[in-house]
Amino acid sequence: LTHFKKTNNLPKKMTDVFWSAAENMIRVTEKHPFLVKMVDGTLAMEPFIYYVIQDALYLVDFADCLDRLSENPEVKDTDQSKRLKAFATGAREAEMSLHSSFFKKWNINAQNAKAMPNTLLYTSYLLRTVSTRDHAEGMASLLPCFWVYMHVGKCMLKLREELGDQVKRCPQFDEWIDMYGGDEFEKEVTDYIEMVDDVASKASAEKVELMKEHFLMCCKLEHMFWDQAMDQMDWPSELNDK
Protein backbone atom coordinates (compact mmCIF):
# COMPACT_ATOMS: atom_id res chain seq x y z
CA LEU A 1 0.00 0.00 0.00
CA THR A 2 1.09 3.54 -0.65
CA HIS A 3 3.10 5.35 2.02
CA PHE A 4 1.14 8.41 3.19
CA LYS A 5 3.20 10.93 5.14
CA LYS A 6 4.44 14.46 4.82
CA THR A 7 6.70 14.99 1.83
CA ASN A 8 8.30 18.28 0.83
CA ASN A 9 11.64 19.75 -0.17
CA LEU A 10 12.39 21.17 3.26
CA PRO A 11 15.16 19.74 5.47
CA LYS A 12 14.16 16.52 7.17
CA LYS A 13 12.23 17.13 10.38
CA MET A 14 12.57 15.06 13.52
CA THR A 15 9.11 13.57 13.13
CA ASP A 16 10.25 12.24 9.74
CA VAL A 17 13.18 10.61 11.54
CA PHE A 18 10.74 9.05 14.01
CA TRP A 19 8.58 7.79 11.17
CA SER A 20 11.54 6.29 9.32
CA ALA A 21 12.61 4.45 12.48
CA ALA A 22 9.13 2.92 12.80
CA GLU A 23 8.50 2.41 9.09
CA ASN A 24 8.84 -1.39 9.09
CA MET A 25 6.35 -1.68 11.95
CA ILE A 26 3.94 0.72 10.25
CA ARG A 27 4.12 -1.19 6.96
CA VAL A 28 3.05 -4.33 8.83
CA THR A 29 0.21 -2.40 10.46
CA GLU A 30 -1.02 -1.15 7.06
CA LYS A 31 -1.83 -4.75 6.19
CA HIS A 32 -3.34 -5.72 9.54
CA PRO A 33 -6.18 -8.23 8.92
CA PHE A 34 -8.60 -6.17 11.01
CA LEU A 35 -8.10 -3.12 8.78
CA VAL A 36 -8.03 -5.00 5.48
CA LYS A 37 -11.15 -6.96 6.37
CA MET A 38 -12.95 -3.72 7.20
CA VAL A 39 -12.30 -2.53 3.66
CA ASP A 40 -13.07 -5.78 1.83
CA GLY A 41 -16.23 -6.27 3.87
CA THR A 42 -15.26 -9.58 5.45
CA LEU A 43 -14.76 -8.37 9.04
CA ALA A 44 -17.36 -9.86 11.37
CA MET A 45 -19.35 -7.40 13.46
CA GLU A 46 -18.24 -8.88 16.80
CA PRO A 47 -14.58 -7.80 16.51
CA PHE A 48 -15.63 -4.34 15.32
CA ILE A 49 -18.06 -3.85 18.21
CA TYR A 50 -15.33 -5.04 20.60
CA TYR A 51 -12.94 -2.53 19.02
CA VAL A 52 -15.40 0.37 19.26
CA ILE A 53 -15.97 -0.26 22.97
CA GLN A 54 -12.23 -0.48 23.68
CA ASP A 55 -11.59 2.62 21.59
CA ALA A 56 -14.14 4.57 23.62
CA LEU A 57 -12.35 3.54 26.84
CA TYR A 58 -8.98 4.41 25.31
CA LEU A 59 -10.16 7.89 24.28
CA VAL A 60 -11.06 8.78 27.87
CA ASP A 61 -7.45 8.29 28.96
CA PHE A 62 -6.07 9.79 25.76
CA ALA A 63 -8.03 13.00 26.44
CA ASP A 64 -6.66 13.02 29.99
CA CYS A 65 -3.13 12.74 28.60
CA LEU A 66 -3.71 15.73 26.31
CA ASP A 67 -5.04 17.76 29.23
CA ARG A 68 -1.97 16.89 31.28
CA LEU A 69 0.32 17.96 28.46
CA SER A 70 -1.53 21.28 28.14
CA GLU A 71 -0.76 22.04 31.79
CA ASN A 72 2.97 21.41 31.58
CA PRO A 73 5.06 24.43 32.65
CA GLU A 74 6.82 24.54 29.26
CA VAL A 75 3.60 25.40 27.43
CA LYS A 76 1.12 26.65 30.02
CA ASP A 77 -0.76 29.77 28.87
CA THR A 78 0.62 29.43 25.32
CA ASP A 79 -1.08 28.75 22.00
CA GLN A 80 0.20 25.18 22.15
CA SER A 81 -1.53 24.70 25.48
CA LYS A 82 -4.79 25.95 24.00
CA ARG A 83 -4.41 23.62 21.02
CA LEU A 84 -3.73 20.64 23.26
CA LYS A 85 -6.85 21.44 25.28
CA ALA A 86 -8.80 21.59 22.02
CA PHE A 87 -7.43 18.17 21.07
CA ALA A 88 -8.54 16.84 24.47
CA THR A 89 -12.03 18.21 23.87
CA GLY A 90 -12.03 16.57 20.44
CA ALA A 91 -11.08 13.21 21.92
CA ARG A 92 -13.92 13.45 24.44
CA GLU A 93 -16.34 14.42 21.69
CA ALA A 94 -15.18 11.42 19.65
CA GLU A 95 -15.84 9.18 22.65
CA MET A 96 -19.33 10.65 23.02
CA SER A 97 -19.91 10.24 19.28
CA LEU A 98 -19.18 6.53 19.55
CA HIS A 99 -21.87 6.25 22.21
CA SER A 100 -24.42 8.29 20.27
CA SER A 101 -23.83 6.56 16.92
CA PHE A 102 -22.38 3.05 16.97
CA PHE A 103 -23.47 2.19 20.51
CA LYS A 104 -26.99 3.44 19.99
CA LYS A 105 -27.41 1.80 16.58
CA TRP A 106 -26.38 -1.61 17.87
CA ASN A 107 -27.96 -1.22 21.29
CA ILE A 108 -24.55 -1.70 22.93
CA ASN A 109 -24.51 -1.28 26.67
CA ALA A 110 -20.93 -0.37 27.53
CA GLN A 111 -21.75 0.97 31.00
CA ASN A 112 -19.83 -1.82 32.71
CA ALA A 113 -17.20 -2.21 30.00
CA LYS A 114 -13.65 -2.59 31.22
CA ALA A 115 -10.33 -2.07 29.53
CA MET A 116 -8.95 -5.27 28.05
CA PRO A 117 -5.24 -6.19 28.35
CA ASN A 118 -3.78 -4.26 25.41
CA THR A 119 -6.02 -1.25 26.06
CA LEU A 120 -4.77 -1.07 29.62
CA LEU A 121 -1.20 -1.66 28.50
CA TYR A 122 -1.37 1.19 25.98
CA THR A 123 -3.16 3.74 28.14
CA SER A 124 -0.98 2.92 31.14
CA TYR A 125 2.12 3.55 29.06
CA LEU A 126 0.77 6.90 27.84
CA LEU A 127 -0.38 8.04 31.27
CA ARG A 128 2.92 7.05 32.86
CA THR A 129 4.89 8.89 30.18
CA VAL A 130 2.95 12.16 30.32
CA SER A 131 2.85 12.03 34.15
CA THR A 132 6.45 11.10 34.95
CA ARG A 133 8.48 12.27 31.95
CA ASP A 134 8.87 15.75 30.49
CA HIS A 135 6.74 17.52 27.91
CA ALA A 136 8.80 16.44 24.90
CA GLU A 137 8.56 12.74 25.71
CA GLY A 138 4.85 13.03 26.45
CA MET A 139 4.18 14.73 23.11
CA ALA A 140 6.07 12.05 21.21
CA SER A 141 4.23 9.21 22.94
CA LEU A 142 0.84 10.52 21.77
CA LEU A 143 1.94 11.11 18.18
CA PRO A 144 1.32 7.56 16.81
CA CYS A 145 -2.35 7.68 17.78
CA PHE A 146 -2.75 10.68 15.49
CA TRP A 147 -0.34 9.86 12.70
CA VAL A 148 -0.71 6.08 12.35
CA TYR A 149 -4.51 6.38 12.36
CA MET A 150 -4.38 8.96 9.58
CA HIS A 151 -1.90 6.86 7.64
CA VAL A 152 -3.92 3.65 7.77
CA GLY A 153 -7.08 5.65 7.05
CA LYS A 154 -5.47 6.92 3.82
CA CYS A 155 -4.31 3.40 2.95
CA MET A 156 -7.83 2.08 3.52
CA LEU A 157 -9.33 4.83 1.35
CA LYS A 158 -6.98 3.83 -1.47
CA LEU A 159 -7.84 0.13 -1.12
CA ARG A 160 -11.55 0.96 -1.06
CA GLU A 161 -11.18 2.90 -4.30
CA GLU A 162 -9.31 -0.01 -5.88
CA LEU A 163 -12.01 -2.50 -4.88
CA GLY A 164 -14.73 -0.20 -6.17
CA ASP A 165 -18.40 -1.17 -6.14
CA GLN A 166 -17.69 -4.89 -6.21
CA VAL A 167 -17.47 -4.91 -2.41
CA LYS A 168 -20.37 -4.26 -0.05
CA ARG A 169 -19.48 -3.44 3.52
CA CYS A 170 -21.18 -2.34 6.72
CA PRO A 171 -21.93 1.43 6.63
CA GLN A 172 -20.12 1.84 9.96
CA PHE A 173 -16.92 0.59 8.34
CA ASP A 174 -17.21 3.26 5.66
CA GLU A 175 -17.88 5.91 8.33
CA TRP A 176 -14.72 4.89 10.16
CA ILE A 177 -12.62 4.95 6.97
CA ASP A 178 -14.05 8.32 5.93
CA MET A 179 -13.34 9.81 9.36
CA TYR A 180 -9.69 8.78 9.69
CA GLY A 181 -8.87 9.05 6.00
CA GLY A 182 -10.57 12.43 5.62
CA ASP A 183 -9.20 15.94 5.21
CA GLU A 184 -10.48 17.23 8.56
CA PHE A 185 -8.57 14.62 10.56
CA GLU A 186 -5.49 15.18 8.39
CA LYS A 187 -5.48 18.87 9.36
CA GLU A 188 -5.53 17.94 13.06
CA VAL A 189 -2.73 15.43 12.58
CA THR A 190 -0.63 17.97 10.69
CA ASP A 191 -1.09 20.44 13.56
CA TYR A 192 0.05 17.89 16.12
CA ILE A 193 3.05 16.84 14.01
CA GLU A 194 4.11 20.48 13.78
CA MET A 195 3.87 20.84 17.55
CA VAL A 196 6.04 17.76 18.08
CA ASP A 197 8.59 19.10 15.57
CA ASP A 198 8.65 22.42 17.42
CA VAL A 199 9.30 20.66 20.72
CA ALA A 200 11.96 18.41 19.18
CA SER A 201 13.77 21.39 17.61
CA LYS A 202 14.42 22.74 21.11
CA ALA A 203 15.42 19.41 22.68
CA SER A 204 18.86 17.91 23.18
CA ALA A 205 20.03 14.98 21.06
CA GLU A 206 19.57 12.68 24.03
CA LYS A 207 16.01 13.90 24.54
CA VAL A 208 15.16 13.46 20.85
CA GLU A 209 16.37 9.88 21.06
CA LEU A 210 14.00 9.26 23.98
CA MET A 211 11.18 10.84 22.00
CA LYS A 212 11.92 8.44 19.15
CA GLU A 213 11.85 5.46 21.54
CA HIS A 214 8.40 6.49 22.80
CA PHE A 215 7.18 6.91 19.23
CA LEU A 216 8.42 3.44 18.32
CA MET A 217 6.86 1.83 21.37
CA CYS A 218 3.48 3.44 20.76
CA CYS A 219 3.52 2.37 17.11
CA LYS A 220 3.86 -1.19 18.41
CA LEU A 221 1.03 -0.61 20.89
CA GLU A 222 -1.17 0.73 18.08
CA HIS A 223 -0.65 -2.53 16.20
CA MET A 224 -1.37 -4.57 19.32
CA PHE A 225 -4.61 -2.66 19.84
CA TRP A 226 -5.89 -4.02 16.51
CA ASP A 227 -4.47 -7.47 17.32
CA GLN A 228 -6.57 -7.42 20.46
CA ALA A 229 -9.75 -6.52 18.56
CA MET A 230 -9.16 -9.14 15.88
CA ASP A 231 -8.76 -11.83 18.55
CA GLN A 232 -11.37 -10.30 20.91
CA MET A 233 -8.85 -10.74 23.69
CA ASP A 234 -10.12 -11.21 27.23
CA TRP A 235 -8.47 -11.40 30.62
CA PRO A 236 -7.18 -14.95 31.32
CA SER A 237 -9.44 -15.62 34.32
CA GLU A 238 -12.52 -14.73 32.26
CA LEU A 239 -11.87 -16.83 29.17
CA ASN A 240 -14.60 -19.27 28.33
CA ASP A 241 -13.74 -22.93 28.52
CA LYS A 242 -13.02 -24.28 25.08
Side-chain angles (χ1 to χ4, degrees):
L1 290 174
T2 304
H3 192 131
F4 292 94
K5 68 185 186 75
K6 296 188 302 178
T7 55
N8 51 44
N9 296 321
L10 296 175
K12 199 169 190 180
K13 296 182 178 181
M14 287 316 306
T15 52
D16 293 319
V17 175
F18 299 165
W19 185 276
S20 295
E23 192 161 12
N24 288 340
M25 180 74 256
I26 293 166
R27 287 192 179 278
V28 174
T29 300
E30 291 172 6
K31 301 174 179 66
H32 197 288
F34 184 90
L35 302 174
V36 174
K37 285 177 177 290
M38 277 181 65
V39 184
D40 68 21
T42 62
L43 182 68
M45 292 309 304
E46 290 78 6
F48 187 71
I49 292 172
Y50 174 105
Y51 162 80
V52 169
I53 292 172
Q54 291 303 303
D55 195 40
L57 294 171
Y58 170 90
L59 285 170
V60 172
D61 285 335
F62 190 73
D64 183 41
C65 287
L66 288 162
D67 273 334
R68 289 170 186 261
L69 287 177
S70 75
E71 294 296 328
N72 280 338
E74 299 94 322
V75 297
K76 195 169 183 180
D77 299 324
T78 65
D79 288 340
Q80 185 175 126
S81 176
K82 294 175 183 176
R83 192 71 183 104
L84 288 167
K85 286 183 183 295
F87 278 131
T89 299
R92 292 190 178 93
E93 289 174 349
E95 190 267 339
M96 291 174 62
S97 177
L98 288 173
H99 284 274
S100 62
S101 57
F102 294 150
F103 285 23
K104 186 176 181 180
K105 183 176 180 63
W106 292 324
N107 196 29
I108 300 172
N109 181 4
Q111 185 174 357
N112 297 317
K114 54 186 176 295
M116 290 301 171
N118 288 355
T119 307
L120 183 61
L121 176 64
Y122 195 178
T123 57
S124 296
Y125 185 90
L126 294 178
L127 286 165
R128 184 186 69 178
T129 303
V130 302
S131 300
T132 67
R133 308 300 299 176
D134 69 3
H135 186 70
E137 292 180 51
M139 290 289 289
S141 69
L142 268 58
L143 180 55
C145 183
F146 286 100
W147 205 354
V148 174
Y149 260 63
M150 183 193 76
H151 177 75
V152 299
K154 298 290 188 185
C155 290
M156 293 165 80
L157 272 178
K158 184 173 184 294
L159 179 58
R160 186 174 69 180
E161 291 171 1
E162 292 171 353
L163 294 173
D165 297 334
Q166 62 179 314
V167 170
K168 301 299 180 184
R169 66 187 65 80
C170 170
Q172 284 79 10
F173 295 176
D174 279 323
E175 289 177 29
W176 193 97
I177 296 167
D178 290 338
M179 177 168 59
Y180 289 111
D183 293 341
E184 184 175 345
F185 186 62
E186 183 175 359
K187 290 177 183 177
E188 294 183 353
V189 175
T190 300
D191 281 353
Y192 194 85
I193 290 171
E194 289 175 352
M195 285 195 289
V196 176
D197 274 320
D198 179 63
V199 170
S201 70
K202 303 167 184 173
S204 66
E206 291 78 11
K207 181 59 62 178
V208 169
E209 186 64 25
L210 288 172
M211 292 174 72
K212 184 176 73 173
E213 289 178 10
H214 289 302
F215 182 82
L216 283 165
M217 177 57 70
C218 291
C219 284
K220 295 174 184 177
L221 291 169
E222 282 289 331
H223 187 94
M224 291 169 64
F225 197 80
W226 283 307
D227 277 344
Q228 173 183 257
M230 194 72 238
D231 299 336
Q232 298 180 72
M233 184 185 293
D234 204 340
W235 291 99
S237 62
E238 297 172 13
L239 291 173
N240 294 324
D241 294 332
K242 300 288 186 179

